[in-house]
Amino acid sequence: MTVTVPVTAALALGDDALVLSHRLGEWAGHAPVLEEEVALANIALDLLGQARVLLSMAGDEDELAYLREERAFRNLQLVEQPNGDFADTIARQLYFSTYQHLLYAELAAGDGPFAPLAAKAVKETDYHRDHAELWTLRLGDGTEVSRERMRQAVEALWRFTGEMFQPVEGVDVDWADLDRRWLESVTDVLGRATLSVPESPRTGAWSAGAGRQGLHTEPFGRMLAEMQHLHRSHPGATW
Amino acid sequence: MTNTEWPLWEVFVRSRRGLSHTHAGSLHAPDAELALRNARDLYTRRGEGVSIWVVPATAITASSPDEKDPFFEPSADKPYRHPTFYEIPEGVRHL
């Protein structure tokens, strides 16, 4: 019996998790405090686990991770954005984890091909979202400097957030409803962090985001070069 | 910075089948909520069904090593103070 796996969807969701996992891995040894470093590494490992399952549904996980060119990646532009300062990382995490948590909750409730993965991942993303929320509150409602940095991070990444709700072929959810609930949740957290929702557009001509079509931002090529370097230097090696 | 704004917390963990909280270690965190999250990452690996307590280290009063003798060495020549002569019936657990 063959089960049809929606490859487009597995790649899109898998690439999101893989790329963000790699970004978070870059914090290792550089986080503000030891405890936070462990937390970021934990989140990175959760995401890498999700990526492995999802990419394996689409083909050979190593080949997909290490031998695809930038244009063949289907991740959101949001997750490929550089870590920036701690506030940038937290804003990116808040936006993405909130999205991922809502999405996986939907998928876990259904009986599609992603339901088993989603049932596991929904608990992880709940924790990721909670972690990002706690830090958004502390930075936003912290010192003058931390508040300003958090505000800047929230603004800078805002234009990447509309992209998350472009329908993905093979993922059967109500995207408009997800978008609405995402906005509600993020608005609530930002409000409690004494920050306001940016006025800049999330969709349309002045927003960013064509990652699902394989179009990526400049920092992504660099990231891939670093990530894939060893595998490409020693093709066919086993690790 | 770590000392003033990131105080030390002591962590007590009760494992899923454990009966009591055991001291697992310590960590730095800005407040109790984050101390809990950090403890979860550092000491429980997120195993389900565990309970975590975090306590600011400053809230703990410890017995002093100088008082060791009066505190911990009751006269051993009064065996009636040490009810250790009982056979523990079978089936009694967690004693």
Side-chain angles (χ1 to χ4, degrees):
Chain A
M1 193 188 84
T2 46
V3 182
T4 17
V5 174
V7 172
T8 317
L11 278 183
L13 303 184
D15 286 350
D16 283 352
L18 175 67
V19 171
L20 187 56
S21 167
H22 190 86
R23 281 294 185 212
L24 291 174
E26 291 171 358
W27 271 107
H30 302 277
V33 289
L34 191 60
E35 284 81 358
E36 190 51 32
E37 178 155 317
V38 175
L40 292 176
N42 256 323
I43 296 174
L45 288 172
D46 284 346
L47 290 169
L48 190 61
Q50 296 168 13
R52 293 192 57 184
V53 173
L54 287 159
L55 293 184
S56 297
M57 291 170 92
D60 180 272
E61 49 174 323
D62 280 350
E63 265 177 41
L64 287 170
Y66 292 118
L67 295 175
R68 267 183 304 159
E69 302 281 347
E70 182 180 330
R71 291 294 289 266
F73 274 82
R74 291 291 177 264
N75 56 283
L76 298 163
Q77 288 184 356
L78 175 69
V79 295
E80 75 201 29
Q81 295 312 304
N83 287 337
D85 64 16
F86 189 58
D88 291 320
T89 291
I90 290 301
R92 186 184 62 196
Q93 202 62 43
L94 178 73
Y95 292 164
F96 183 72
S97 301
T98 305
Y99 153 80
Q100 225 192 359
H101 183 56
L102 290 168
L103 177 63
Y104 281 145
E106 286 289 310
L107 291 176
D111 56 0
F114 298 115
L117 164 87
K120 210 170 145 249
V122 74
K123 287 188 238 168
E124 298 171 345
T125 55
D126 196 13
Y127 185 77
H128 304 170
R129 203 207 56 74
D130 176 72
H131 180 261
E133 174 182 332
L134 289 185
W135 273 117
T136 305
L137 297 180
R138 277 158 185 76
L139 294 175
D141 197 12
T143 67
E144 240 174 79
V145 175
S146 76
R147 180 172 192 277
E148 178 54 21
R149 288 213 191 177
M150 196 63 222
R151 191 194 62 75
Q152 281 175 13
V154 161
E155 296 267 352
L157 292 170
W158 190 247
R159 66 196 189 100
F160 294 103
T161 60
E163 183 189 10
M164 297 188 284
F165 304 98
Q166 292 171 7
V168 175
E169 187 195 322
V171 181
D172 186 23
V173 294
D174 184 342
W175 292 97
D177 183 58
L178 277 192
D179 192 0
R180 188 186 55 73
R181 285 189 284 149
W182 180 90
L183 192 59
E184 208 171 72
S185 172
V186 168
T187 303
D188 170 63
V189 174
L190 292 181
R192 282 186 287 129
T194 75
L195 300 165
S196 44
V197 173
E199 282 168 19
S200 49
R202 294 173 60 223
T203 53
W206 295 99
S207 70
R212 296 280 190 239
Q213 286 83 53
L215 299 175
H216 295 282
T217 55
E218 195 201 338
F220 186 50
R222 255 184 95 103
M223 195 208 95
L224 273 191
E226 191 176 273
M227 188 176 100
Q228 299 181 333
H229 158 252
L230 201 63
H231 197 91
R232 289 186 184 275
S233 303
H234 302 277
T238 47
W239 308 91
Chain B
M1 166 213 134
T2 309
N3 287 332
T4 51
E5 291 166 25
W6 285 67
L8 189 67
W9 299 75
E10 299 299 334
V11 180
F12 300 81
V13 174
R14 183 168 63 76
S15 61
R16 194 191 327 210
R17 292 172 164 262
L19 284 166
S20 55
H21 287 75
T22 312
H23 184 232
S26 48
L27 52 80
H28 290 278
D31 53 50
E33 246 180 320
L34 277 169
L36 265 187
R37 302 313 191 275
N38 291 344
R40 173 258 202 192
D41 286 340
L42 287 166
Y43 295 112
T44 72
R45 302 275 166 192
R46 283 170 288 160
E48 316 257 323
V50 299
S51 160
I52 305 174
W53 290 345
V54 289
V55 184
T58 50
I60 293 174
T61 310
S63 60
S64 142
D66 300 340
E67 296 164 327
K68 190 164 159 270
D69 289 352
F71 261 57
F72 303 119
E73 284 185 25
S75 32
D77 60 346
K78 296 185 195 119
Y80 52 83
R81 297 188 59 151
H82 309 286
T84 55
F85 305 108
Y86 303 100
E87 291 284 331
I88 296 170
E90 258 180 67
V92 173
R93 295 187 301 165
H94 313 310
L95 199 65

